[in-house]
Amino acid sequence: MNELAIISSLLDNDFYKFTMQNAVIKLFPLAKARYEFINRGKHFFPGNFVDLLKKNLDKMANLKLSNEERIFLEKNCPYLDSKYLDFLDQYQYNPKEVNVFQKGKNIQMYIEGLWSRTILWEVPLMAIISELYYQLTGAKRFSDKKIIHLTRKKLEKYKRLNVKFGEYGTRRRFSYQIHKLVLEVLIREGKTFFMGSSNVHLSHIFSIKPIGTHGHEWIMFHAAKYGFNIADKIAMKNWLNIYGKNLGIALSDTYTSPIFFKNFDKKLANLFEGIRHDSGDPLLFVKETINHYQKLKINPLQKKIIFSDNLNPCKVARISSFCKNKINPFFGIGTNFTNDVGLPSMNIVIKMVKAFPKKKWTSVVKLSNVKEKSTGKKNTIFLAKKILHIS
């Protein structure tokens, strides 16, 4: 067993975790959050899994932002101000915030503490769980040569389609080594089509700008604080207050797209440069988005949709063809880049389940456009649907 730490940099994480952390520190510094691990794929974990997971968590406590990494963020992310970078300079993971247990072949995990601190755990934890799982189960993957070949074939397809895309695959990658290998190919051969990676550490290594927007937890917290009906709207307004014209992609499916569009008024639709699609029929979503912009007398060809829902070359071809001359599509491709190695990819998530916005813990839910991607307690989901008039 390789005893090297799976996570070797504080920045080995998705970019949107840092942009959300900055916003949380500025707007909700005393808020708390609780996250839980959800084993959607019902994977069985080897007997010593949690022991090795805990060893990796303990090693993460030693990670610190280096001076080089700070300079990289200052240069490439000027909207992350010096106060936030000072915070990140002092930040260290605290493994006591993570509680993990193993019962037979199942693991249970929850993370709890100040939201401004615990927000960084989700992505590296999932990357550790994924890499450890493949190490311990000993399944044989494709050779590096074949993975490079597959990545090149995908690149050729995307070039023929003339689409722009980024790599979003940190959380369910096969391993750090495969992630780095794939990214090397994308950067070297992607030219004008490849827009960058959501992984900040690898973006630093390869001297490219990290990309990303914000996650569902941003809106879920706003629902706990302000109510389901207006969570989307207040979350977007708060995002604009922090970032202005930067990072202008709105997330559309925390409480289903119809609820999002009710909140996405003309002012917000003008201020945000586009929308992210993360669940449900993508072609139907394109139609709904175009109709919404047209109703607001906004030209859809001046806007973009970022697609990020379990993409592969066939899906990208279908979506890009449908969007042609209607709206500008961009594609955030994750697992199909970083875990296409000849083995089933893991179906795991870590989601916020409770928030403490002010005086008490409140259960939070994500409804999504498809039932399988919804999270939260059944009674809270029922309540949210009732309030939002969702059948």
Side-chain angles (χ1 to χ4, degrees), residues 140-147 150 178 340-343:
K140 192 166 174 60
R141 66 166 174 88
F142 291 151
S143 67
D144 286 5
K145 188 177 177 181
K146 184 162 185 179
I147 291 166
L150 280 172
I178 293 299
D340 186 9
V341 299
L343 298 167

Side-chain angles (χ1 to χ4, degrees), residues 8-259:
S8 61
S9 165
L10 187 70
L11 298 186
D12 191 359
N13 206 327
D14 275 341
F15 180 54
Y16 75 179
K17 283 293 181 172
F18 299 105
T19 57
M20 286 193 292
Q21 185 183 47
N22 175 46
V24 170
I25 290 164
K26 289 181 169 54
L27 298 178
F28 310 110
L30 300 179
K32 295 177 188 174
R34 179 183 172 115
Y35 302 79
E36 283 185 11
F37 171 74
I38 303 166
N39 183 5
R40 281 180 181 162
K42 307 210 180 321
H43 307 283
F44 288 139
F45 292 90
N48 59 338
F49 191 87
V50 159
D51 295 334
L52 292 165
L53 178 57
K54 285 180 177 177
K55 280 186 182 179
N56 271 278
L57 298 188
D58 289 340
K59 287 174 183 175
M60 285 178 69
N62 300 318
L63 299 176
K64 292 279 285 177
L65 188 74
S66 73
N67 192 46
E68 271 187 13
E69 288 172 331
R70 177 169 179 144
I71 291 166
F72 170 79
L73 292 173
E74 286 171 343
K75 181 183 173 184
N76 291 281
C77 316
Y79 37 79
L80 296 177
D81 63 16
S82 58
K83 281 187 180 177
Y84 171 65
L85 295 181
D86 289 344
F87 171 89
L88 210 55
D89 262 333
Q90 299 301 314
Y91 182 89
Q92 285 180 280
Y93 282 106
N94 179 1
K96 289 179 181 176
E97 291 166 347
V98 182
N99 293 272
V100 57
F101 317 92
Q102 183 154 358
K103 293 184 177 179
K105 293 184 176 181
N106 299 310
I107 62 170
Q108 293 178 322
M109 181 193 305
Y110 68 88
I111 305 145
E112 189 173 296
L114 279 174
W115 191 23
S116 60
R117 289 193 43 80
T118 54
I119 197 167
L120 291 191
W121 276 112
E122 175 195 347
V123 176
L125 262 176
M126 286 180 66
I128 292 169
I129 290 167
S130 184
E131 185 158 348
L132 269 181
Y133 177 82
Y134 291 113
Q135 283 182 8
L136 293 172
T137 52
K140 192 166 174 60
R141 66 166 174 88
F142 291 151
S143 67
D144 286 5
K145 188 177 177 181
K146 184 162 185 179
I147 291 166
I148 290 168
H149 173 70
L150 280 172
T151 305
R152 280 178 173 153
K153 279 181 72 176
K154 290 169 196 171
L155 260 179
E156 285 164 14
K157 287 178 182 176
Y158 295 141
K159 283 179 185 177
R160 281 199 301 273
L161 292 169
N162 196 28
V163 297
K164 293 189 184 298
F165 63 91
E167 176 274 304
Y168 284 23
T170 302
R171 65 189 60 219
R172 294 184 192 91
R173 66 191 182 196
F174 178 83
S175 68
Y176 173 79
Q177 182 252 328
I178 293 299
H179 192 174
K180 195 174 177 184
L181 181 74
V182 167
L183 200 48
E184 280 175 344
V185 177
L186 295 177
I187 292 166
R188 186 173 62 244
E189 301 177 30
K191 301 205 164 64
T192 56
F193 299 93
F194 178 59
M195 304 308 292
S197 170
S198 66
N199 187 288
V200 187
H201 162 63
L202 291 173
S203 295
H204 173 226
I205 284 180
F206 292 113
S207 300
I208 58 174
K209 282 190 179 183
I211 57 172
T213 53
H214 61 265
H216 294 97
E217 66 183 282
W218 178 249
I219 302 152
M220 290 159 74
F221 175 86
H222 281 75
K225 189 169 176 65
Y226 302 106
F228 294 110
N229 277 308
I230 55 171
D232 278 308
K233 182 169 282 190
I234 299 179
M236 283 186 274
K237 285 182 176 179
N238 277 337
W239 195 253
L240 289 168
N241 288 340
I242 299 294
Y243 292 113
K245 292 181 179 179
N246 299 297
L247 309 173
I249 301 295
L251 182 55
S252 63
D253 70 330
T254 312
Y255 298 111
T256 74
S257 297
I259 301 301

Side-chain angles (χ1 to χ4, degrees), residues 251-380:
L251 182 55
S252 63
D253 70 330
T254 312
Y255 298 111
T256 74
S257 297
I259 301 301
F260 167 80
F261 285 122
K262 281 181 185 176
N263 282 275
F264 199 48
D265 59 28
K266 186 163 186 172
K267 184 178 179 182
L268 290 171
N270 271 309
L271 289 169
F272 278 87
E273 61 180 298
I275 303 173
R276 178 155 75 96
H277 168 268
D278 197 50
S279 65
D281 183 336
L283 306 192
L284 177 61
F285 182 77
V286 172
K287 289 178 188 173
E288 289 171 344
T289 303
I290 289 169
N291 286 340
H292 188 73
Y293 280 132
Q294 287 174 338
K295 271 187 208 167
L296 299 175
K297 306 225 171 352
I298 295 170
N299 181 0
L301 284 168
Q302 294 176 343
K303 298 294 181 179
K304 61 178 76 165
I305 301 178
I306 311 284
F307 295 91
S308 60
D309 183 23
N310 195 25
L311 298 174
N312 58 45
C314 291
K315 282 187 182 178
V316 170
R318 184 166 151 258
I319 295 167
S320 62
S321 172
F322 190 78
C323 288
K324 198 166 185 179
N325 299 322
K326 297 173 189 163
I327 198 163
N328 301 299
F330 290 77
F331 300 91
I333 301 166
T335 309
N336 189 250
F337 272 143
T338 61
N339 202 347
D340 186 9
V341 299
L343 298 167
S345 56
M346 297 195 81
N347 187 1
I348 56 173
V349 293
I350 292 172
K351 289 290 178 188
M352 182 190 279
V353 292
K354 283 188 178 181
F356 196 111
K358 202 171 180 184
K359 293 181 179 176
K360 63 174 184 175
W361 283 104
T362 304
S363 291
V364 298
V365 297
K366 173 191 163 197
L367 296 185
S368 190
N369 288 321
V370 290
K371 192 177 178 183
E372 309 84 73
K373 292 186 84 171
S374 295
T375 60
K377 288 185 176 178
K378 284 182 181 177
N379 59 341
T380 314

